[in-house]
Amino acid sequence: MKETDQTDILYISYYWPPSGGPGVQRGLKFCKYLPQFGVCPTVLTVDEKQASYPLLDETFAQEVPEGLQVYRTATSEPFEYYKKLSGKKEIPYSGFANQQSKDTLVDKLFKFVRGNLFIPDARVGWNKHAIRKANELLQGGKYKAIVTTSPPHSTQLIGLKLKQKYNLPWVADLRDPWTNIHYYDQLLHTPIAKRLDEKYERQVLEQADAVIVTSEDTKRLFLNKPASIDARKIHVIPNGYDAQDFVYQSHPPKDEFLITYTGTITEHYNIDVFLKVLAHMLSMHSDINYKLRFVGKVSEGMKKRIEKAGVLGITEFIPYVPHQEAIKYMMESTVLFLAIADVENVYANVPGKLFEYLASNKPIIALGPVHSDMDHIIDECGAGRLFHYTAYDLMVDHLNQWSKAWKINPNLDLPYINHSRFSREALTEELAKVIMNLVRQ
């Protein structure tokens, strides 16, 4: 497609390389593939030297398409004060996954301040800088649409301001729920703060020309809000996998039954029954060398539960690694383990790593609510099985069958998984259609 045929858009995202973690990948992959479908993005993001990124992954910078214009601005955020007050070097993850199970007084104070003085989130200080730069970029009339992606949901307020001023087509991409996010109650909102946050959420849902969500259940959550929102303008575009990331051949070990979990896991993840089942497997199949491997952040509370279950001796903990290295660990596994937190509104949670698990062609054992979006996807793709958090007997039977099969052939890779509709390229085409339909109206 010729450059003259391209539709220019302004893509606004707080998270951008060198930020690490799953959030940055969605925007990065969209911007990588949008030009194939007639949409040319320009990225507006935060200065990486001032940004509050919980995770860094320098390798993502290598994936930024050549020629993509990226504008960075200053920001004003409270996290440096938090680190000085708390004595901690880390910035809190979303959901406070890197916090201790019991808050200190400083932790509680910070959560209260964050929940009541920084609405909708502590990165709202970026907005004034981003809006100033967006005003400069939009003056010439080059851009035909605006896309904002969140979290942080404060980024959606940038889109709201620009929509009100320029009346350009605006697409609000919400990767997570807003006031229904599973850790929302931890923020200790006062009634006034909560009402203000709900007002912002409602304004975004009502005034955006299109709303993108990552799961059917998130769509249902938003449609249940007391807002006049047309269901037809909410589009489900899940996270996905980039086939170009899978450069490693599958290489499951022959001498051990290796179960790998990638990503963050805290005590909010109810994996106790799985750990109990694994302990049972050790006695049931004493001739199999089982190994459980976590790649990413594991809370201290979770480590204690692993020890209590009696499987600490077969567990390996590998700290956060660059994305490409995490994929390598997946490809060197026998089975992949996945769990979502056992909390309210968990049906809407479809982890981004699920789609990379699918692309690995490894069998998946998952814990979560039955009949959830994640359950439907795993079942649709024939990629393994999801169990309820309490399904001990069913899980024992399942792992027992896999263990017997492993003794015959230690390569349990699946012969075929129908996951092509979750490729980043296919999903970006869906986003491009949404954008172009708005531009043509």
Side-chain angles (χ1 to χ4, degrees):
M1 184 172 291
K2 298 178 182 177
E3 281 192 24
T4 53
D5 297 331
Q6 301 271 315
T7 297
D8 290 291
I9 68 163
L10 185 59
Y11 192 97
I12 304 175
S13 176
Y14 183 93
Y15 291 109
W16 191 257
S19 172
V24 69
Q25 295 179 50
R26 185 171 173 88
L28 178 60
K29 303 299 185 179
F30 277 153
C31 290
K32 175 181 177 179
Y33 289 113
L34 275 171
Q36 293 185 18
F37 305 105
V39 179
C40 181
T42 294
V43 174
L44 176 58
T45 189
V46 65
D47 182 347
E48 69 270 29
K49 295 177 182 177
Q50 300 183 42
S52 302
Y53 293 150
L55 296 168
L56 292 174
D57 188 337
E58 300 288 348
T59 64
F60 281 138
Q62 301 166 15
E63 295 191 48
V64 177
E66 187 177 351
L68 177 68
Q69 286 188 300
V70 179
Y71 293 93
R72 297 182 180 272
T73 78
T75 187
S76 307
E77 298 171 29
F79 290 105
E80 285 304 314
Y81 298 103
Y82 167 76
K83 289 194 285 187
K84 289 176 182 177
L85 285 170
S86 67
K88 297 176 182 178
K89 297 180 181 179
E90 291 182 311
I91 292 167
Y93 291 20
S94 61
F96 311 101
N98 56 340
Q99 305 294 84
Q100 299 296 326
S101 55
K102 292 186 178 180
D103 288 339
T104 65
L105 184 60
V106 171
D107 290 331
K108 291 178 181 177
L109 176 62
F110 181 77
K111 286 181 180 180
F112 180 84
V113 169
R114 179 255 182 260
N116 293 280
L117 299 186
F118 298 92
I119 302 171
D121 53 67
R123 291 173 176 83
V124 70
W126 179 52
N127 287 23
K128 62 183 179 182
H129 304 276
I131 290 170
R132 187 181 305 123
K133 185 62 181 179
N135 283 330
E136 291 178 21
L137 295 171
L138 293 172
Q139 288 302 320
K142 172 183 177 182
Y143 300 102
K144 306 305 179 187
I146 298 166
V147 177
T148 49
T149 185
S150 64
H153 291 314
S154 53
T155 304
Q156 301 300 347
L157 302 187
I158 300 171
L160 182 63
K161 271 286 195 205
L162 298 176
K163 174 65 181 178
Q164 292 168 345
K165 183 172 182 177
Y166 296 98
N167 199 30
L168 285 170
W170 169 35
V171 179
D173 176 38
L174 292 102
R175 303 187 303 271
D176 290 333
W178 192 321
T179 58
N180 294 107
I181 194 72
H182 64 82
Y183 55 82
Y184 194 73
D185 289 342
Q186 295 182 48
L187 296 173
L188 309 176
H189 292 96
T190 62
I192 293 175
K194 193 169 184 179
R195 282 197 298 271
L196 180 58
D197 206 11
E198 290 171 345
K199 174 188 172 184
Y200 287 150
E201 179 185 39
R202 185 171 63 252
Q203 287 179 316
V204 168
L205 294 175
E206 289 178 341
Q207 297 187 40
D209 297 285
V211 175
I212 309 294
V213 295
T214 59
S215 73
E216 291 289 347
D217 267 298
T218 302
K219 179 176 179 176
R220 284 189 280 273
L221 282 174
F222 286 145
L223 288 177
N224 284 332
K225 300 288 177 183
S228 55
I229 178 170
D230 186 347
R232 292 172 297 182
K233 77 174 186 180
I234 303 185
H235 307 268
V236 179
I237 301 180
N239 289 303
Y241 68 92
D242 190 342
Q244 293 184 11
D245 289 341
F246 285 79
V247 297
Y248 302 105
Q249 296 296 315
S250 176
H251 191 64
K254 296 180 180 179
D255 58 345
E256 60 186 8
F257 191 109
L258 176 55
I259 305 170
T260 297
Y261 178 100
T262 65
T264 299
I265 190 164
T266 73
E267 44 267 50
H268 292 298
Y269 292 69
N270 183 2
I271 67 168
D272 290 349
V273 168
F274 169 76
L275 297 174
K276 185 179 177 182
V277 169
L278 186 56
H280 184 60
M281 288 297 112
L282 297 180
S283 58
M284 183 180 284
H285 297 281
S286 58
D287 54 337
I288 295 181
N289 184 20
Y290 291 99
K291 183 176 182 181
L292 177 61
R293 179 170 64 189
F294 291 92
V295 181
K297 178 68 180 181
V298 181
S299 71
E300 290 304 314
M302 179 56 72
K303 288 180 180 178
K304 290 177 182 176
R305 283 161 63 175
I306 292 169
E307 182 178 15
K308 184 178 179 181
V311 294
L312 185 63
I314 64 163
T315 304
E316 178 183 18
F317 299 102
I318 297 173
Y320 179 82
V321 298
H323 177 239
Q324 205 59 47
E325 196 172 336
I327 290 178
K328 188 171 185 288
Y329 279 117
M330 290 181 205
M331 302 305 289
E332 293 174 349
S333 304
T334 309
V335 169
L336 297 178
F337 174 48
L338 180 61
I340 53 178
D342 186 9
V343 292
E344 190 177 1
N345 297 321
V346 73
Y347 277 79
N349 189 349
V350 182
K353 65 189 160 202
L354 167 62
F355 304 100
E356 296 191 327
Y357 277 21
L358 295 176
S360 74
N361 277 15
K362 300 286 180 179
I364 299 170
I365 182 167
L367 287 181
V370 178
H371 304 308
S372 62
D373 287 345
M374 187 168 83
D375 188 12
H376 292 318
I377 290 171
I378 293 173
D379 184 60
E380 170 196 331
C381 296
R385 188 168 174 184
L386 178 141
F387 296 91
H388 188 265
Y389 306 101
T390 59
Y392 176 81
D393 291 333
L394 289 173
M395 219 179 304
V396 165
D397 182 64
H398 197 69
L399 266 178
N400 183 38
Q401 293 301 318
W402 273 353
S403 298
K404 290 178 179 178
W406 184 88
K407 292 178 185 180
I408 299 169
N409 181 358
N411 186 344
L412 299 184
D413 287 5
L414 301 170
Y416 173 73
I417 299 180
N418 181 23
H419 51 54
S420 59
R421 78 179 182 93
F422 298 114
S423 73
R424 294 286 188 182
E425 196 168 353
L427 297 169
T428 303
E429 184 176 12
E430 293 183 33
L431 175 62
K433 288 177 181 176
V434 172
I435 294 169
M436 293 306 296
N437 284 339
L438 292 176
V439 169
R440 289 171 183 147
Q441 288 179 5

